Amino acid sequence: MSSRDNASSDITPELLLRAYACGIFPMSESADDPGLFWVEPEIRGVIPLDGFRISSRLARTVRSDAFTVTVDSAFKRVMSECAAPKPDREDTWINKRIRDLYGALHEMGHAHSVEVWQNDDLVGGLYGVSLGRAFFGESMFHHARDASKVALVHLVARLIAGNYGLLDTQYVTDHLRSFGAVEVPRDRYRQLLDAALDDVADFEALPATMTGEDALAIIAERQS
């Protein structure tokens, strides 16, 4: 379900947070379209934090620390990379209004990014919104094999350590399904969301940088 929003409407960061608390998020038709529309999917994608799956090959990559992973060190760059056209996707739903709104949420401490570096090059990452004990994943990108997957592994470890209860992926793709993402109906999602908003979590419970071995250990302990 979605509803159009006039391009001149004054959507503030505070209104955006209230929308997330109701299970609604904004999108645009394209990067060049200044308008936004609200979306509330009938079927929602979530990754259960105690059911997060990592392939043995990816675990070896994470453990090798072939990449350096940071948090909140290049939020705007991550958003820009997520918004950039790709060979299999000529257009994107991330327009300037969205970049400005989420940039403001980042300054307020409600939006975060995970960056993956190879030497000094930003080769992957993701960003999302944090509210209560819920984290709403927005978008990810990669320029090197496994870079966005490594970012997701480090994100999940951080969410577990910070006492988060919900990782919302909006939709489920085959890629996310391989990590354990499942689809839940709207009513069930709202129950999960309400429970996650009853308390607070700490996105900064872990150091800004950590080893892959430590991230894997945190995830394994949650699943034991």
Side-chain angles (χ1 to χ4, degrees):
M1 183 175 71
S2 65
S3 60
R4 294 293 305 182
D5 159 59
N6 188 288
S8 63
S9 296
D10 185 19
I11 298 179
T12 64
E14 292 78 12
L15 176 61
L16 187 53
L17 289 177
R18 290 199 295 271
Y20 272 98
C22 295
I24 305 170
F25 57 87
M27 296 185 73
S28 67
E29 291 290 354
S30 71
D32 297 327
D33 184 347
L36 298 179
F37 57 93
W38 296 109
V39 181
E40 186 183 15
E42 292 185 10
I43 301 296
R44 198 73 165 236
V46 301
I47 296 180
L49 294 176
D50 54 3
F52 185 66
R53 298 200 298 261
I54 307 172
S55 70
S56 56
R57 186 192 65 79
L58 178 58
R60 287 194 297 272
T61 300
V62 172
R63 191 174 288 111
S64 73
D65 289 327
F67 301 109
T68 299
V69 181
T70 60
V71 171
D72 288 339
S73 68
F75 183 86
K76 290 184 178 180
R77 286 185 62 186
V78 169
M79 278 207 75
S80 294
E81 292 290 352
C82 288
K86 296 178 175 58
D88 60 344
R89 187 194 68 192
E90 295 183 359
D91 210 344
T92 175
W93 54 269
I94 303 174
N95 64 10
K96 184 180 185 301
R97 287 184 73 194
I98 287 179
R99 290 198 299 272
D100 289 346
L101 282 168
Y102 287 82
L105 288 186
H106 175 61
E107 293 177 0
M108 294 166 61
H110 281 291
H112 301 283
S113 60
V114 178
E115 304 89 20
V116 179
W117 307 84
Q118 198 165 47
N119 299 319
D120 293 327
D121 296 324
L122 181 63
V123 295
L126 57 82
Y127 76 96
V129 174
S130 177
L131 185 63
R133 295 177 60 239
F135 190 89
F136 308 86
E138 289 296 316
S139 188
M140 59 174 59
F141 80 96
H142 71 277
H143 296 311
R145 184 184 183 187
D146 291 337
S148 62
K149 296 178 181 179
V150 170
L152 182 58
V153 170
H154 276 257
L155 171 69
V156 169
R158 183 168 294 275
L159 299 184
I160 291 171
N163 193 37
Y164 283 78
L166 174 64
L167 173 51
D168 174 359
T169 66
Q170 298 179 348
Y171 302 101
V172 172
T173 63
D174 290 340
H175 172 68
L176 293 175
R177 201 181 301 275
S178 70
F179 288 98
V182 297
E183 294 179 327
V184 296
R186 184 185 299 160
D187 288 347
R188 175 56 180 157
Y189 173 78
R190 286 176 173 169
Q191 292 174 353
L192 296 172
L193 178 59
D194 288 345
L197 296 178
D198 275 347
D199 203 350
V200 296
D202 182 7
F203 192 81
E204 298 179 350
L206 296 176
T209 60
M210 62 182 301
T211 67
E213 186 69 45
D214 287 342
L216 292 171
I218 291 169
I219 295 170
E221 183 177 358
R222 174 64 177 262
Q223 298 173 342
S224 62

